Amino acid sequence: MPVMTYRDALRSAMAEEMERDESIVLLGEDIGLYGGTHLVTNGLIDQFGPKRVIDTPIAEGGFTGAAIGMAMAGLKPIVEMMTWNFSFLAADQIIQTAAKLHYFSGGQVNVPLVVRGPNGGGVQLSAQHTHSLEGFYGHFPGLKVVSPATPADVKGMMLEAIRNPNPVIFLEAGALYGTKGEVPEGDEVVPFGKARVAREGTDVTLIAYGRQVPLLLKVADKLAEQDISAEVIDLRSIRPLDTETFVESVKKTNRAVVVQEQWRYFSVASEVCAVLQHEAFDYLDAPVERVSGAEVPAPYARNLEIAGFPTIDHVISAARRVLYLEK
Amino acid sequence: MRYQYLLLAIVFIILMKAARRATRVKSATYGTISTMSMVRDPDGPAKAVPPVPARPSHTGQGIDHDNAISSADNRQEAAMAPIIAPADTFTEGQAQVAYDAEALVGFYQKMVEIRLFEDATTKAFRQGKIGGYLHVYSGQEATGTAFLGAMNRDKGDVAIAAYRIHAHALLLGAHPNNVMAELYGKGTGIVKGKGGSMHLFHAEGGMLGGYGIVGGHIPLGPGYAYGNRYQGGEAVVQLYLGDGSIHNGAFHEAANLAGLWGKSGLCPTLFILENNQYGMGTSVERATAMTELGKKFESYGIEWERVDGMDIQATLKVAEQVQERVRETGKPYAIEAFGYRIVPHGAADFLEQYRSKEEVAKWREKDPIPLLHGQLIEMGIEEERLEAIRAEAKAMADEAVKFAEESPDPDLSELLTDVYADDTYVEPAG
């Protein structure tokens, strides 16, 4: 299998699918001539031309709404949010229109739309440019929300996102754009709503998605040095949420730590905990731990930013707590 | 502690009220604007557009700061004088098509059908049979009837509108029974009881909604137009918007995209600004300093013209011509249909404190249906024939009500369907 970066895998999914399907167009700020702020769409304007790779003015609500109109007309638009932080300006279009149009039209209108871009922080962009919005978008029925963590998944899930007849919120792990991994060649679709066991283990289940998955794999290595066998679950998909995979894991390990970059309350980790207490109540040997970001707007200074996000040490400590190895 | 806060709050409110009273003052002078404005087509010669209707200006000139006035005066002052657009501000249209009396009788029938349907919806709402909001179209029929009538479904034309849309659905071929059943929340409703008054869709007839967030639907129009042209289609998208939505960012972002994409012939969007002079209860004058609303399109390179939205002969003259012009050029174009909502904003708008009875009465004199009625009589159409049309329309509305009342509620299983376009599992309540 070829080795690719997360960024290149993402681009190749879009390019391959655009070759196959002329109804796919891209819209976004500086995705064409500029090459994309994060170079995800770099070169696509040369390959597909400006009618398909549409540079838009900086008006997220306008072009996201227009993309919904395009989807209604039979296209499959992929909208780039330069970063998800700007999607609040398009939230009315995404939540009030895209998510509900199929329902309030009584099934007469479909919105096969992908909205994609980097999610999460970690590169000193401070308060307005650092958000993890999976809990926010995950709240709304009518949307599909995914957060791939590996180059293979980002490609396979983008293929699925484009082919899916629903609006898809595609939350890329921006901090992982440069990471490499094996990517299957060809048309390897990764279906939504299927979590992945990223590493098998027996003593404790560590659950995350997106950027926290590689962090958990490092944690698992460290725990192994302490003779603790950790299983790592990559949720991949936030809505629909594959509860079965992590519930089964916890039934085996009897202990769970849920890790996320976003704020603790009303979050994905909260949801996972709720499911676990309901579906695996009799299997739990310890309260489920949530490891989350600090409850503050993201700071700028590097040391403050690092202190505001989950670290390897936070997770090791939480894993040891659910094993009653520390308090 | 709590009661101290309460006391503070009361004192604060009293002080605020006094301050507000002191600053609300009577405008002593009314200015008029009557210059000819020019619309420039980036690719063509300058074109004259009609002058702005004379309106009371409210620029702060002549304010008498020493005369604090009563709350009643404040209201009157805030509400503004009625706006009557003089006839010479409207375009005549250049269409060669003259509608003969027979054709006009057909349009009369459509307008009467809509009016009596709306009367029936209002009655049902007041009887508590219709829930939610109900926004009726009475007074504005001449606009929708003419422009929707210019659509060509063979070429894929569609309409996207906001929430005052019963007429739009009916005019695009939705069955009155299914529209009324939707308002009643019945399983036979046009969107299966899932949308109600604000979300009527009849995709088969080109009616693509039906949206309840003011301004939120506007970007859909240019997007649909682009999508259709991109695929080699020749459709024109009619995008209906109200005067209240033009101050929303979504309008400006969408108009900008439309103008931009139109430069490549990729945005055949006909914006139809239905200026009924009030966004809910806030008059145009109280919503913007630049009250010549059609002119806002110019900022985005979109040509426009104003028509008398209450005279179907005026709207008809323009409708077909601009529809085909947009189709040919692939560029957006805008119509400001100047009119008036002779009914409350919504069926629950009982008080209408924002406008005077005299103003409404004055506009009722321009009601498009009696206007056309008079014209038809002058053309020699017999009163009996028009009476028969009214009777048929009444029967149609009555039948729709009967159908809606007798229809079953939606099956409870409908709650969980149509959330996703595939078979994604959706959880029930509880």
Side-chain angles (χ1 to χ4, degrees), chain B residues 219-409:
Chain B
L220 272 52
Y224 192 99
Y226 187 105
N228 182 274
R229 273 295 147 112
Y230 171 89
Q231 295 173 101
E234 49 182 353
V236 171
V237 179
Q238 290 191 358
L239 192 287
Y240 288 81
L241 64 156
D243 54 271
S245 71
I246 206 162
H247 315 299
N248 189 292
F251 164 75
H252 295 273
E253 296 186 20
N256 184 54
L257 287 175
L260 181 69
W261 293 343
K263 280 166 63 182
S264 320
L266 280 167
C267 204
T269 309
L270 179 57
F271 290 97
I272 298 164
L273 169 62
E274 298 188 88
N275 181 358
N276 65 19
Q277 307 179 47
Y278 289 89
M280 275 191 72
T282 302
S283 67
V284 170
E285 279 69 20
R286 296 175 63 223
T288 181
M290 214 290 277
T291 55
E292 196 181 355
L293 299 187
K295 209 168 181 180
K296 294 184 194 270
F297 286 95
E298 289 178 33
S299 308
Y300 306 107
I302 300 173
E303 286 190 88
W304 68 284
E305 65 189 283
R306 178 186 290 122
V307 298
D308 182 349
M310 300 189 80
D311 176 359
I312 189 143
Q313 297 215 56
T315 49
L316 282 171
K317 271 183 189 168
V318 174
E320 209 161 294
Q321 173 207 348
V322 296
Q323 183 84 356
E324 293 317 307
R325 171 200 167 120
V326 169
R327 193 186 316 285
E328 279 158 31
T329 61
K331 287 178 191 292
Y333 191 80
I335 295 292
E336 180 187 355
F338 197 88
Y340 197 78
R341 157 168 71 60
I342 60 174
V343 288
H345 162 70
D349 171 18
F350 296 110
L351 300 175
E352 291 193 75
Q353 299 185 79
Y354 52 87
R355 61 184 188 180
S356 67
K357 286 193 171 67
E358 295 73 30
E359 178 186 315
V360 178
K362 206 157 192 174
W363 276 94
R364 277 188 177 272
E365 290 168 17
K366 292 165 69 71
D367 186 329
I369 293 177
L371 181 71
L372 179 59
H373 181 271
Q375 290 164 347
L376 289 172
I377 296 292
E378 271 179 33
M379 288 175 179
I381 301 293
E382 289 166 1
E383 174 59 40
E384 293 73 34
R385 195 167 158 206
L386 300 179
E387 178 54 39
I389 285 173
R390 290 196 294 275
E392 276 173 37
K394 178 73 169 58
M396 190 187 86
D398 290 346
E399 161 61 24
V401 167
K402 184 165 178 285
F403 177 85
E405 290 189 348
E406 290 173 359
S407 284
D409 287 338

Side-chain angles (χ1 to χ4, degrees), chain A residues 22-25 27 50-52 54-57 59-70 72-75 89 92-93 96-97 99 101-110 140-144 164-167 239-240, chain B residues 160 190-192 194-195 199-204 207-208 210-213 215-231 250 253-254 256-257 260-261 266 414-422 424-426:
Chain A
E22 280 205 4
S23 68
I24 301 165
V25 296
L27 296 96
K51 260 172 93 173
R52 295 189 73 185
I54 305 165
D55 277 321
T56 65
E60 287 80 5
F63 66 73
T64 305
I68 297 168
M70 290 176 179
M72 293 167 75
L75 298 191
L89 290 163
D92 180 68
Q93 293 298 333
Q96 288 278 35
T97 307
L101 190 39
H102 187 67
Y103 193 78
F104 66 54
S105 71
Q108 292 185 44
V109 176
N110 287 358
F140 297 101
L143 298 177
K144 301 235 172 171
N164 200 285
N166 302 292
R239 180 183 271 272
Chain B
I160 295 172
I190 193 157
V191 291
K192 307 189 231 173
K194 293 181 178 183
H199 301 300
L200 301 178
F201 284 73
H202 180 55
E204 194 190 320
M207 175 60 182
L208 294 182
Y211 302 86
I213 304 300
H217 69 299
I218 302 173
L220 272 52
Y224 192 99
Y226 187 105
N228 182 274
R229 273 295 147 112
Y230 171 89
Q231 295 173 101
E253 296 186 20
N256 184 54
L257 287 175
L260 181 69
W261 293 343
L266 280 167
E414 282 293 340
L415 174 67
L416 304 179
T417 62
D418 299 324
V419 179
Y420 292 97
D422 52 19
T424 304
Y425 173 72
V426 175

Side-chain angles (χ1 to χ4, degrees), chain A:
Chain A
M1 266 192 280
V3 172
M4 296 173 103
T5 61
Y6 188 100
R7 174 187 290 111
D8 290 342
L10 180 55
R11 186 191 306 112
S12 72
M14 292 191 284
E16 285 172 23
E17 201 68 354
M18 286 176 83
E19 287 281 1
R20 284 188 282 263
D21 184 349
E22 280 205 4
S23 68
I24 301 165
V25 296
L26 311 184
L27 296 96
E29 296 153 357
D30 279 317
I31 62 168
L33 293 183
Y34 188 105
T37 308
H38 306 280
L39 298 176
V40 171
T41 56
N42 196 25
L44 295 182
I45 194 167
D46 304 314
Q47 199 176 343
F48 299 104
K51 260 172 93 173
R52 295 189 73 185
V53 181
I54 305 165
D55 277 321
T56 65
I58 302 168
E60 287 80 5
F63 66 73
T64 305
I68 297 168
M70 290 176 179
M72 293 167 75
L75 298 191
K76 292 177 187 163
I78 305 175
V79 170
E80 175 173 302
M81 285 295 149
M82 186 185 288
T83 78
W84 274 98
N85 306 291
F86 312 145
S87 75
F88 293 113
L89 290 163
D92 180 68
Q93 293 298 333
I94 294 170
I95 296 163
Q96 288 278 35
T97 307
K100 299 170 181 173
L101 190 39
H102 187 67
Y103 193 78
F104 66 54
S105 71
Q108 292 185 44
V109 176
N110 287 358
V111 186
L113 168 74
V114 182
V115 188
R116 54 150 290 268
N119 179 51
V123 283
Q124 284 190 275
L125 289 172
S126 73
Q128 291 191 312
H129 287 72
T130 304
H131 289 91
S132 295
L133 295 181
E134 52 282 353
F136 178 78
Y137 284 111
H139 186 62
F140 297 101
L143 298 177
K144 301 235 172 171
V145 182
V146 298
S147 182
T150 67
D153 275 0
V154 82
K155 181 172 182 191
M157 293 177 84
M158 178 50 76
L159 291 174
E160 169 61 30
I162 296 169
R163 295 172 196 183
N164 200 285
N166 302 292
V168 177
I169 301 299
F170 201 85
L171 303 166
E172 294 153 14
L176 302 182
Y177 277 147
T179 56
K180 290 182 177 174
E182 289 190 334
V183 177
E185 279 180 287
D187 200 15
E188 287 289 325
V189 170
V190 175
F192 293 168
K194 271 281 171 212
R196 177 177 72 100
V197 180
R199 173 181 172 133
E200 290 191 14
T202 52
D203 297 332
V204 58
T205 300
L206 309 177
I207 302 164
Y209 51 89
R211 181 187 163 203
Q212 309 306 321
V213 174
L215 181 108
L216 293 195
L217 292 172
K218 286 182 196 157
V219 168
D221 284 342
K222 298 243 180 193
L223 289 174
E225 291 166 13
Q226 302 174 30
D227 288 329
I228 298 168
S229 166
E231 181 146 300
V232 176
I233 304 291
D234 173 3
L235 292 175
R236 285 172 155 170
S237 170
I238 307 302
R239 180 183 271 272
L241 184 66
D242 171 12
T243 57
E244 196 183 328
T245 301
F246 69 77
V247 167
E248 285 309 308
S249 175
V250 172
K251 283 182 177 175
K252 179 175 73 177
T253 64
N254 312 111
R255 293 170 166 85
V257 176
V258 197
V259 185
Q260 60 184 8
E261 189 177 300
Q262 69 176 302
W263 296 302
R264 188 187 318 274
Y265 300 99
F266 320 106
S267 64
V268 172
S270 307
E271 195 55 53
V272 171
C273 288
V275 171
L276 282 174
Q277 67 82 22
H278 192 265
E279 303 294 323
F281 188 77
D282 289 335
Y283 295 87
L284 287 171
D285 285 344
V288 179
E289 285 281 343
R290 281 179 290 172
V291 178
S292 308
E295 294 273 327
V296 296
Y300 168 70
R302 187 65 183 147
N303 69 326
L304 296 181
E305 183 181 51
I306 289 169
F309 288 141
T311 61
I312 289 177
D313 288 343
H314 288 140
V315 186
I316 289 175
S317 188
R320 290 176 58 83
R321 283 200 298 278
V322 299
L323 286 154
Y324 299 110
L325 295 171
E326 63 180 68
K327 284 199 172 179

